Amino acid sequence: YSQKIIIDNYKKLKLSLDSEIFFSVKANSNLAILTLMKSLGSGADVVSNGELIRALSAGFPASKIIYEGVGKSKNDIKFAIKKNIRQINVESIEELKLINSLGQYMKKNVNIGIRINPNINSNTIDKITTGRKTDKFGISINKLNKICLELKKLNNVNLKGISCHIGSQISSVDVFKKTFIEMKKAADKFIQ
């Protein structure tokens, strides 16, 4: 690995986005790399308790860790809540209810994000496409009204944002344009 290239690329990205950056621990879980990313100001994006423990070991503050992924168990969610991480991104209505009930049981309000499946074909390799309605990731854009109603009933979750992921190795800007249009519509539903 080249520390200089990592630092230079991080700085370019930070300057371009003018936003917080969360490094995906699954991309490279090497403690030296994670410690470097933390020193640059990055947060951590984790998909398992092992990754969460690794991020904490590298010095990421809990307030800069986001937990993603479709495979979170009840114990995974309890562990993340116990560690007071920044937020847990929700993949289903059932997971939303589980997080709320665990928050209630643990006497905590849990910050969440909602991962939306915008039903966008990213026109990339089939095995790395994640944003079509037939893919297992995120909550269908058609279920947003149900999610909004459910959120009004739940007292132990705080909605902090929405997100989506439609795949990798996307070569068409039009795909991103379609995604942004759908995500704007989704955001408007949560504001109502």
Side-chain angles (χ1 to χ4, degrees):
Y1 304 111
S2 167
Q3 182 174 345
K4 181 185 180 329
I5 290 174
I6 291 170
I7 292 169
D8 289 347
N9 286 340
Y10 181 87
K11 287 180 178 177
K12 285 179 196 170
L13 185 62
K14 181 75 176 159
L15 194 64
S16 297
L17 294 177
D18 188 30
S19 181
E20 288 185 277
I21 296 170
F22 291 81
F23 181 74
S24 175
V25 175
K26 73 178 172 185
N28 190 329
S29 63
N30 179 304
L31 277 176
I33 299 296
L34 295 177
T35 303
L36 173 61
M37 296 307 293
K38 183 253 173 203
S39 75
L40 294 170
S42 175
D45 179 277
V46 303
V47 297
S48 70
N49 281 353
E51 288 184 7
L52 174 53
I53 292 166
R54 203 145 179 91
L56 291 168
S57 296
F60 286 97
S63 63
K64 293 200 74 169
I65 299 174
I66 296 173
Y67 205 131
E68 309 264 5
V70 295
K72 294 184 289 294
S73 71
K74 182 177 181 178
N75 286 335
D76 294 336
I77 294 167
K78 277 171 83 170
F79 184 71
I81 293 170
K82 183 178 176 185
K83 292 298 180 184
N84 292 313
I85 67 168
R86 180 186 189 117
Q87 88 184 38
I88 301 172
N89 284 345
V90 176
E91 297 272 347
S92 69
I93 293 173
E94 295 76 23
E95 185 180 38
L96 174 63
K97 291 177 181 178
L98 176 60
I99 292 170
N100 185 73
S101 68
L102 289 172
Q104 186 175 21
Y105 173 76
M106 297 170 76
K107 296 180 177 29
K108 293 189 178 218
N109 286 336
V110 183
N111 292 333
I112 62 161
I114 302 287
R115 180 176 176 176
I116 294 169
N117 181 321
N119 193 25
I120 301 283
N121 185 345
S122 58
N123 298 319
T124 187
I125 300 165
D126 193 52
K127 293 192 185 281
I128 58 175
T129 297
T130 58
R132 300 171 300 193
K133 69 180 175 184
T134 55
D135 297 322
K136 65 181 177 181
F137 303 99
I139 296 169
S140 168
I141 201 144
N142 299 331
K143 293 184 179 175
L144 291 187
N145 288 335
K146 187 174 181 179
I147 284 285
C148 290
L149 290 172
E150 197 63 43
L151 281 168
K152 290 177 183 175
K153 296 185 227 171
L154 305 178
N155 296 319
N156 289 87
V157 292
N158 303 314
L159 179 63
K160 294 295 183 178
I162 61 173
S163 66
C164 77
H165 185 277
I166 58 168
S168 303
Q169 300 179 14
I170 299 167
S171 58
S172 168
V173 174
D174 285 340
V175 170
F176 292 111
K177 183 178 177 182
K178 288 177 190 173
T179 303
F180 289 128
I181 290 168
E182 289 304 313
M183 291 303 287
K184 172 69 173 97
K185 288 180 197 172
D188 289 343
K189 287 189 182 278
F190 286 100
I191 294 170
Q192 297 173 357

